[in-house]
């Protein structure tokens, strides 16, 4: 019998959201991502382990197959929907922990980019770490970020990009934010982004994942010292 993590990963890959979903055909009534996440948490697994070994492991397989032309956009969207449902099921386990309030974190995916799974994950985990998260969504032009920062003086900004083309918009977005709010702490992230690129475009820092983002923010914005 496959471990609950392997089952979650397989369900993400197949797009099996929950027991009511009939994807793949004939699977209605069998547990999907939502039920399996609850099973794993109920068995005492940590939300971090469920995320890493279940949900993200499944999405990694999808990413590899997409890159190898073994699956195409419709399948990836179905997997993304299952992943999103799994994150929803996991959310209370992350955000239910008592944490001191750390400040406001405005996050969005930059202009032209529709990828939101990583952004949502970063937002959810930072919320669990005590940040009040304002999610601007996907395909956000620079002025959406500048307006959000002006409304929330002292907030931290997170920019997400998953495409080598859209990550280039991070530079203009950072310049626009700094033109009106020069001291804003701005983190960048997303698969094609690197620490060197972050430095080149004037970001305050780069984090590869939400845990690294929390550690970086603890250094850049000491508790009680911002927002
Ligand atoms: C799912 C997916 C899609 C879905 C998105 C659904 C959704 N709601 O998000 C759909 C089908 C819409 C899609 C479309 C496209 N996609 Co796509 N997609 C993917 C895929 C398979 C997974 C991405 C994902 O969700 N990963 C899981 C999350 C959890 O990881 P993550 O996003 O990297 O986020 C983590 C970190 O990067 C970081 N992070 C992310 N953001 C931020 C922000 C901050 C502030 C911080 C600190 C950290 C951080 O933390 C996250 C958690 O650890 C990737 C392949 C891959 N392996 O990445 C391709 C991929 C990103 N897509 C790709 C491409 C080419 C496209 C399309 C252009 C395809 C096409 N021909 O139309 C379109 C572009 C649409 C657009 N304009 O945006 C390429 C990009 C190539 C490149 N280097 O530019 C990839 C790499 C696939 C490939 N190998 O070819 N895609």
């Amino acid at each position: 019998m496959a471990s609950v993590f392997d089952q979650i990963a397989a369900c993400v890959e197949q797009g099996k959201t929950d027991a009511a979903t009939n994807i793949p055909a004939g699977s209605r009534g069998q547990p999907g991502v939502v039920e399996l996440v609850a099973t794993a948490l109920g068995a005492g697994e940590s939300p971090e382990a469920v995320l890493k070994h279940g949900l993200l492991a499944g999405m990694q397989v999808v990413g590899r197959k997409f890159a190898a032309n073994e699956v195409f956009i419709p399948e990836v969207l179905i997997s993304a929907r299952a992943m999103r449902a799994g994150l929803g099921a996991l959310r209370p386990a992350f955000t239910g922990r008592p944490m001191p309030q750390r400040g406001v974190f405005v996050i969005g995916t930059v202009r032209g980019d529709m990828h939101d799974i990583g952004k949502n994950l970063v937002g959810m985990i930072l919320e669990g770490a005590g940040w009040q998260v304002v999610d601007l969504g996907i395909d956000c032009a620079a002025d959406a970020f500048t307006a959000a920062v002006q409304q929330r003086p002292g907030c931290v900004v997170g920019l997400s990009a998953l495409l080598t083309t859209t990550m280039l918009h991070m530079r203009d977005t950072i310049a626009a934010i700094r033109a009106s709010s020069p001291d804003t702490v701005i983190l960048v992230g997303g698969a094609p982004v690197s620490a060197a690129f972050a430095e080149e475009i004037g970001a305050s820092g780069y984090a590869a994942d939400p845990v690294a983002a929390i550690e970086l923010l603890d250094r850049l914005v000491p508790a009680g010292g911002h927002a």
Side-chain angles (χ1 to χ4, degrees):
M1 173 91 180
S3 76
V4 69
F5 295 141
D6 293 343
Q7 292 178 60
I8 293 170
C11 283
V12 168
E13 197 190 334
Q14 294 166 346
K16 173 72 178 158
T17 302
D18 54 23
T21 312
N22 198 29
I23 299 173
S27 71
R28 201 188 307 280
Q30 291 165 24
V33 174
V34 170
E35 291 81 11
L36 291 166
V37 165
T39 302
L41 293 174
E45 300 293 354
S46 69
E48 288 83 2
V50 176
L51 178 63
K52 185 171 175 195
H53 303 303
L55 297 172
L56 289 176
M59 209 60 208
Q60 251 166 26
V61 176
V62 176
R64 275 200 298 273
K65 290 192 170 177
F66 187 46
N69 286 328
E70 290 170 25
V71 297
F72 300 95
I73 287 183
E75 290 99 325
V76 180
L77 280 173
I78 290 170
S79 293
R81 194 171 57 188
M83 172 90 185
R84 187 191 296 258
L87 288 178
L90 210 48
R91 171 179 277 272
F94 275 115
T95 56
R97 300 169 178 174
M99 288 281 171
Q101 279 307 302
R102 293 285 282 109
V104 178
F105 187 82
V106 171
I107 190 166
T109 306
V110 295
R111 178 154 64 90
D113 201 316
M114 309 298 164
H115 295 85
D116 70 354
I117 296 173
K119 165 187 72 63
N120 295 347
L121 195 50
V122 172
M124 191 175 92
I125 294 178
L126 283 188
E127 203 176 306
W131 289 87
Q132 182 195 333
V133 174
V134 177
D135 187 346
L136 302 181
I138 55 171
D139 189 17
C140 296
D143 55 7
F145 288 100
T146 51
V149 172
Q150 279 161 12
Q151 282 163 22
R152 300 168 186 82
C155 70
V156 173
V157 176
L159 305 179
S160 179
L162 262 285
L163 300 172
T164 45
T165 47
T166 58
M167 69 189 248
L168 304 177
H169 295 312
M170 288 177 156
R171 186 192 299 270
D172 304 342
T173 307
I174 291 172
I177 296 169
R178 295 222 192 281
S180 53
S181 311
D183 298 331
T184 309
V185 172
I186 307 174
L187 301 193
V188 291
V193 180
S194 66
F197 180 71
E199 195 179 339
E200 187 195 320
I201 62 175
S204 314
Y206 157 79
D209 56 49
V211 174
I214 291 169
E215 288 166 4
L216 183 58
L217 285 174
D218 283 347
R219 287 204 303 277
L220 295 176
V221 189
H226 207 274

